[in-house]
């Protein structure tokens, strides 16, 4: 697969979603968030992934306008938070997100977590937003197979994306296969395991063979697995480094060695335990 920074994956409704973008989780310093998004856009990042709980939707919108790039050239994702779920609440939460971003539409809108009592109604509301052409594509985040099966049983429009925690020590292969079988694209959050894999000797050795950093090796691993990846950084030099992954290729053997690092280990909450928080 020939990959470039602007490579896209065709979602099941025909929308072209960038395979690579910037995640803005925990970017709560306003100036830092604007500068990070601007740096990413200047480096050619075609997508920005935010959420209402990140408290930086306003800054994402501000940075996109300051970049002088056309709105339609940037793929923007946001998500409805757990306390805003349910049918009517989700519609209100979406309007609030649009207002903070100062946009007329979103490219992708997701349920952030599968809250046990509300995720089905939440997704029903998101389907309405799609039907009303306020979002170009829809999906979910942190949904297990059993959550997806319940949605697929009643959905008029099945999710186009499932955004899940995924990295070389949490490869999620059964869930990825289920999503592939149902034409649901997978986006990896925490793709670098929040930096906890940056001292992994095997990844360092593979990096040396390509003249690349461990972070670059991991990002390339995601891309070669047909995953959408949204590494996060606020540092301009790291933002550039994370994007410098399109001039080399991991061998099948190297991909298998990285796959073998899996330990089913999470940096975040297990989706089935989210109701405990």
């Amino acid at each position: 697969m020939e990959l470039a920074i602007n490579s896209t994956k065709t979602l099941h409704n025909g929308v072209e979603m960038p395979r690579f973008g910037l995640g803005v989780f925990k970017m709560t310093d306003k100036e830092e968030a604007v500068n990070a998004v601007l740096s990413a856009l200047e480096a050619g990042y075609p997508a920005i992934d935010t959420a209402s709980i990140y408290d930086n939707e306003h800054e994402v919108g501000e940075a996109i306008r300051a970049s002088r790039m056309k709105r339609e050239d940037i793929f923007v994702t946001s998500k409805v938070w757990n306390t805003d779920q349910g049918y009517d609440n989700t519609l209100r939460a979406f309007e609030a997100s649009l207002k903070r971003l100062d946009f007329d539409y979103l490219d992708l809108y997701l349920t952030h977590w599968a809250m046990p009592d509300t995720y089905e109604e939440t997704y029903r509301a998101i389907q309405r937003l799609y039907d009303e052409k306020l979002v170009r594509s829809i999906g979910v985040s942190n949904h297990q197979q059993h959550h997806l099966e319940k949605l697929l049983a009643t959905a008029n429009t099945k999710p186009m994306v499932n955004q899940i925690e995924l990295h070389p020590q949490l490869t999620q292969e059964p869930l990825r296969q289920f999503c592939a079988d149902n034409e649901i694209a997978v986006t990896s959050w925490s793709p670098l395991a929040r930096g906890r894999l940056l001292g992994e000797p095997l990844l360092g050795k593979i990096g040396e063979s390509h003249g690349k950093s461990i972070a670059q090796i991991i990002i390339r691993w995601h891309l070669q697995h047909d995953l959408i990846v949204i590494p996060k950084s606020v540092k301009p030099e790291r933002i550039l480094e994370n994007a410098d992954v399109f001039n080399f290729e991991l061998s099948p053997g190297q991909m298998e060695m990285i796959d073998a690092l899996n330990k089913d280990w999470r940096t975040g909450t297990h989706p089935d335990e989210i109701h405990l928080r």
Side-chain angles (χ1 to χ4, degrees):
M1 183 194 304
E2 285 290 325
L3 291 168
I5 194 169
N6 59 353
S7 290
T8 60
K9 182 175 178 65
T10 307
L11 304 180
H12 72 67
N13 69 336
V15 166
E16 298 290 336
M17 180 174 179
R19 293 176 177 272
F20 179 79
L22 180 74
V24 297
F25 175 58
K26 287 194 172 177
M27 289 190 195
T28 51
D29 180 281
K30 306 303 183 187
E31 185 177 352
E32 189 176 65
V34 170
N35 289 338
V37 174
L38 272 172
S39 293
L41 296 176
E42 288 166 4
Y45 282 58
I48 307 295
D49 180 277
T50 185
S52 61
I53 195 66
Y54 298 171
D55 193 26
N56 55 25
E57 288 172 312
H58 175 83
E59 287 69 36
V60 167
E62 182 181 324
I64 289 172
R65 285 183 289 279
S67 74
R68 297 194 296 275
M69 294 189 71
K70 292 180 180 177
R71 165 68 186 93
E72 58 267 29
D73 292 337
I74 307 298
F75 192 101
V76 180
T77 300
S78 194
K79 314 172 193 78
V80 55
W81 184 240
N82 305 342
T83 52
D84 292 326
Q85 287 195 33
Y87 189 84
D88 292 334
N89 285 345
T90 296
L91 298 177
R92 284 191 287 268
F94 175 81
E95 286 298 324
S97 284
L98 270 195
K99 188 172 183 179
R100 287 188 291 268
L101 287 156
D102 196 15
F103 289 168
D104 296 326
Y105 69 96
L106 273 173
D107 297 282
L108 176 62
Y109 197 52
L110 308 176
T111 310
H112 208 140
W113 291 86
M115 296 301 289
D117 297 330
T118 51
Y119 76 93
E120 292 175 89
E121 285 298 292
T122 298
Y123 188 72
R124 195 165 67 85
I126 290 174
Q127 286 184 108
R128 175 177 166 179
L129 296 169
Y130 178 70
D131 291 341
E132 293 180 355
K133 296 184 167 48
L134 292 166
V135 288
R136 296 177 61 229
S137 45
I138 58 175
V140 296
S141 185
N142 301 302
H143 279 44
Q144 299 284 82
Q145 180 173 331
H146 66 93
H147 299 126
L148 293 170
E149 286 171 340
K150 286 192 83 170
L151 294 182
L152 291 171
T154 58
N156 296 322
T157 304
K158 65 185 178 183
M160 290 141 203
V161 174
N162 187 16
Q163 184 179 127
I164 55 176
E165 181 177 356
L166 205 156
H167 50 74
Q169 289 189 346
L170 182 66
T171 56
Q172 300 257 40
E173 290 182 30
L175 180 54
R176 281 161 50 195
Q177 187 60 55
F178 179 84
C179 288
D181 291 344
N182 287 279
E183 299 181 296
I184 300 171
V186 173
T187 298
S188 306
W189 70 257
S190 194
L192 305 176
R194 299 187 185 177
R196 297 181 203 180
L197 298 180
L198 300 184
E200 168 58 50
L202 171 68
L203 297 173
K205 189 174 180 181
I206 294 172
E208 286 173 15
S209 74
H210 291 283
K212 293 292 181 179
S213 70
I214 288 177
Q216 289 168 325
I217 294 299
I218 295 172
I219 292 167
R220 183 74 198 190
W221 173 83
H222 286 274
L223 290 166
Q224 286 184 217
H225 267 313
D226 195 29
L227 299 163
I228 296 159
V229 62
I230 46 171
K232 172 239 171 174
S233 181
V234 296
K235 298 176 181 176
E237 65 274 15
R238 188 62 56 77
I239 288 168
L240 281 170
E241 178 189 314
N242 288 346
D244 187 20
V245 294
F246 299 101
N247 52 7
F248 76 102
E249 188 169 344
L250 297 169
S251 71
Q254 289 171 333
M255 291 291 288
E256 288 175 11
M257 285 191 286
I258 298 171
D259 291 345
L261 293 173
N262 182 51
K263 296 180 180 177
D264 290 329
W265 168 82
R266 296 176 184 271
T267 69
T269 303
H270 191 290
D272 287 335
E273 297 172 359
I274 192 65
H275 61 283
L276 303 176
R277 296 178 66 189

